Amino acid sequence: MSELIQAVLNSEEKLDLRSFLSDLRHQDKKYLLRNDIQNVYRDYCSHYQKPEQFYTSSHLGKLLYYTQEIIQDESSFCLIIRPKIASQEVYRLTADLSVEPMTVQELLDLRDRFVNRFHPNEGDLLELDFGPFYDYSPMIRDPKNIGKGVQFLNRYLSSKLLQDPKQWLQSLFEFLSLHQYNGVQLLINNRIKSQKQLSEQVKSAIAFVSNRPSDEPYEELRFHLQTMGFEPGWGNTAARVQETLEMLDQLIDSPDHQTLEAFISRIPIIFRIVLVSPHGWFGQEGVLGRPDTGGQVVYLLDQAKSLEKQLQEDSIQAGLEGLNVEPKVIILTRLIPNSDGTLCNQRLEKVYGTENAWILRVPLREFNPNMTQNWMSRFEIWPYLETYAIDAEKELMAEFQGRPDLIVGNYSDGNLVAFLLSRRLGVTQCNIAHAFEKTKYLFSNLYWNDLEDKYHFSLQFTADLLAMNAANFIISSTYQEIVGTPDSVGQYESYKCFTMPDLYHVVNGIELFSPKFNVVPPGVNENYFFPYTHTQDRVESDRQRIEEMLFTLEDPTQVFGKLDDPSKRPLFSMARLDRIKNLTGLAECFGQNKELQEHCNLILVAGKLRVEESGDNEEREEIVKLYRIIEEYNLQGKIRWLGVRLSKIDSGEIYRIIAEHQGIFVQPALFEAFGLTILEAMISGLPTFATQFGGPLEIIQDRINGFYINPTNLDETGAKILDFVQKCEQKPDYWYQVSGRAIDRVYSTYTWKIHTNKLLSLARIYAFWNFTSKENREDLLRYIEALFYLIYKPRAQQLLEQHQYR
Ligand code: UDP
Ligand code: LCN
C-alpha cells in the first residue's frame, strides 16, 4: 500500500494531497474515522470542482478509500490503511510529505497521547500478544477463506494422515477408543490394541457386514462385531455399518478431506450439550422485548430444540437405539429470585416441544439484595461469573450425571463462563458472539476509563479477549462479523490491535486466519414463521384478531394512532426501542417523504408506548423522540404504533398479514450484527429493506431477494422504498417476484437444520483436533489464565465492592 502513497506522491496529485491535508488540519476533529475521511474528501472534491472520475479513480481517491483512520499528530498525520480484508498498515505522513511506516506500538502510543493518557516516564504499559501461541496451529492464507475453518482443518488433517500416517493414525485410533455412553463402550473395544490391528480388523469387519442383508438391523450384528473389536456407533443397519467402516478403511489407506469430514461427522461422540447465556431474562414466556434479551433468547431456544432433534436422529443412525441413549441439551442461565412474574426464578424449565432440552437456572452466589436478587444489566454481571461457573459446574454434572461433551458460550459473559467451565472440565469450547459492544460503541476502548462507571468495558473487553482465544472454535453468523467488508472492519478484527489506555496495549489480540473461525448462520423457527401462502397452517381466529389489532383496533392502552385509510400498503417494522434499532429513524424517513405517505401507512411494533412503562433510559428517550417525530411531521392518521410484546405465534402471524396486504418490512438499524427479524420477514414472504450496516448485507442479495438501505441517509432510503412501491403499482407481479425470492433465500440458506448439522460436525472435528493438539494449547491456556487472575479478577473484585453500596 505504501505504493499507493508513493503513486500519489510521484504524480501531480501530490498537490491535491497537500491541500487535502491542509483541509484536514482545519477540521475540528483530529481523529477521523473512515466516514469522516470520505466526507472531507467529498467536500474537497466539490470545492475544487474535481470530476467524479477523480473522486473514485485517482490515486488519492483509492488511497483514501482504503484509509480507515487518520489521526492528526501536531503537524503530521498518521494514516491507518486497510489495503485488504484483515490486514493493516500504518504510516506517518509529515507536513513536508515524507512517509514513514509506524509500528503497532507507535500507533498505540499515539492513540494514548490523543486522549492524554500517554505516560512514558511511568514505565511501559502491559502489552498483550496472543500471536506466538498460534504458531503451533495451521493457518489459512487467503482472507476469502477466513470463516471456513473446518474445511481447511479437514484438508490439513487428511494431509497429515497421508504424510505421517504412523503418528496420526495412532491419534485417530486413541480417539476412537475413548468414547463411552453411560459406561457403555462405543466404537472400539480393547480387543483392538493398536492402529495396525485396527486397520486389519476394519477389513475383516467390512467383509463380514458386506455378506449380510443391507437392511439387517445392527442388533443382529452386534455380537459378532464385538468379538472383532467393534462396539455400537458404526451404524443402525448392515449397510450403514459397512459404509462407515469403509470410510475408516479409506482414511487408513488413502486419506482425503471429504472422507475425513464424512467419517468424523457421523461418529457418535456428542450427547450432552450446554448452551451458556448467563445474563438477563432467559425464559419462554414474558421475557422477550426486555433489555438485553431479544434475538439471543430466540436463537438459543430454537438452537436447543434443533440440536436435541439432530442428536436423536444421529444416535439412531449410529445404531445406539438399544443403549437407551437420551441426548440432552441444557441452556444454562442465571436464576433471578425477583423474577417479575416470569419463570426466571425457577431452577428448571423444560424447553417446549422437546424431550430432553432444559433451561437450568443457577443463582449468582454473592448475596446482595439490590443486585443479585434482581435482574442485572449485562454491563454489571462481571464480578459474579467466576463463582457462577463453579456452582454451575456442580449443577451441570448432577443434571447430566457426568460431563457434557460440548460447551457453547453466548455473548461476552457466556463465553467467559464457557471458558471457565471448559477449562475445568476439559471439554470442547465453542463461542458465539451475537453482538460485540466494542464495535457498537464508537471509541469504547479509547475512552474506556471515562465510560467505566456505566459500562465496565475494561472487564468486558478483557473477557472477550480471553474467551475468544481460549475457544476451540468460534461460530459467527456472517463472514463480516469476523473480518468485515472491503471498507469496514470486522467485529473480531477490531480485537486485533487496540489500546486500553492506562490498562494495556493489545498488539495481537486474535488470529483472524486461524481455522477456529467458522461461519454458521442461524435459522428461523419454521413452526412459527412460514410463508403467508401456507393457509392450511394458519389459524383463522388468530388471523382476524391480529388483523384488527394491526389496522383498526382502538385501544389506547396498547395502540397509538388511527389510520385514515387502512387499505394503504403497510410499511412494517418490529424491534425493541433501542437507539441502535433506529425505529425513530424510520419514522423520520417516512415523515420526510410525503409521496411515500400517500401510498403507504407506517406500522411499528415496538414493545412500549409510554415512558412510565420503561426502566431503561435509552428506551425512554426513543419513546419521547417517536412522539416528537409524529408531531413534527404531522403523521396522525398515517401511523400506528403498537406497544405490545407479542408471543411467537402472534409475531409469526403479523408478518403474514402484512404480506397479505402486499406490505414491506423495513429494518432500519444503525448497525445490526445479524438480524433475526429479517429472516422472519423474508420467510413470511415480505419484500424486505434492511440496513446495509452489518449482517443483513450477507442475508439479502440486493435487488434480488430484498434491498439494502442506508439508514443514515433518509432521503435515499425513502426514495428506494417509494421506487419499489411505484414499481409494484405499475407491475403487480413485481411484489410477488421479490416475495418469492425472499422465501427461497431463507429456505435454501437459513434453516436450523443446516445450522445444526454444521455445528455438530464442527463440534466433532474440533473435538478430534483438540485431542491431537492438547499439549500445544496448554501454553496458551496458561497465559489466558494468568491474564484472568492478574487483570480480570482484581477489576471484577473492585466492581463487586462498588455493588455493595447500591
Ligand atoms: N421480537 C418479538 N417481539 C418484539 C420484538 C422482537 O418477538 O416485540 C423478536 C423478533 O421476532 C426476533 C427477536 O425478537 O425473533 C429479535 O431478534 P433480532 O436478531 O432481530 O435483534 P436483537 O433483539 O437480538 O438485537
Ligand atoms: C444479537 C443481535 O444483535 C442480532 O443481530 C442477532 O440476530 C441476535 O443476537 C441473534 O444472534
Side-chain angles (χ1 to χ4, degrees), residues 288 294-296 298 574 576 581 646 648 672 675-677 680:
L288 272 179
Q296 196 184 142
V298 173
M574 174 164 82
R576 281 171 291 122
K581 293 285 180 196
L646 296 170
K648 291 272 100 181
E672 185 62 60
L676 291 174
T677 53
E680 295 165 359

Side-chain angles (χ1 to χ4, degrees), residues 156-157 160-175 195 768-769 771-776:
Y156 174 82
L157 289 171
K160 287 282 169 201
L161 279 168
L162 200 63
Q163 283 160 14
D164 187 359
K166 222 165 167 205
Q167 190 209 324
W168 284 84
L169 287 175
Q170 181 62 26
S171 298
L172 187 60
F173 161 67
E174 285 169 19
F175 183 68
Q195 47 126 329
F768 176 50
W769 172 238
F771 175 75
T772 56
S773 59
K774 223 181 206 116
E775 285 134 42
N776 292 331

